[in-house]
Amino acid sequence: GMYTFELGEGADRAPVEARFSYMWKKFGNDWKITHHHSSVRPAQPSAAPAEASDAKVEEVMKMYKQAAERLSKETTLRLEQEAQLREVIVELEEIKKAIPQLASDK
């Protein structure tokens, strides 16, 4: 909800617009407030934000596409490297298992 309170002393006292919210929880048959939040209401913007030009929208979309492509390439490369690393680990585990056998063959 919304409310107004006064802040300050004496002649400096001024109204402050605020907002609040409650969280309620049912305990048996009773509803109890379990949390309360209150804060100063944000100032309203003085003017609507300016619309972006078509050229600016195109520029931003191009940057987004390039970033997505780079991320996709980096992610693919990372996944390929992880797969190769898993293969190496499996090979090392096989070598580790074979070492005792090699020692006993001597």
Side-chain angles (χ1 to χ4, degrees), residues 55-71:
K56 188 66 176 173
V57 170
E58 280 185 37
E59 177 187 347
V60 170
M61 291 304 293
K62 181 179 177 183
M63 290 169 43
Y64 174 82
K65 183 179 177 186
Q66 289 170 343
E69 287 171 355
R70 189 172 61 251
L71 178 62

Side-chain angles (χ1 to χ4, degrees), residues 3-70:
Y3 68 103
T4 303
F5 66 95
E6 290 189 352
L7 189 62
E9 299 291 326
D12 293 330
R13 199 162 184 82
V16 177
E17 299 293 320
R19 59 187 177 181
F20 67 92
S21 62
Y22 294 113
M23 285 179 51
W24 296 79
K25 185 173 182 179
K26 192 171 186 177
F27 293 93
N29 292 327
D30 299 323
W31 285 93
K32 305 279 184 172
I33 296 172
T34 58
H35 179 77
H36 166 256
H37 174 79
S38 182
S39 59
V40 174
R41 191 171 5 174
Q44 297 296 322
S46 57
E51 287 190 27
S53 68
D54 290 342
K56 188 66 176 173
V57 170
E58 280 185 37
E59 177 187 347
V60 170
M61 291 304 293
K62 181 179 177 183
M63 290 169 43
Y64 174 82
K65 183 179 177 186
Q66 289 170 343
E69 287 171 355
R70 189 172 61 251

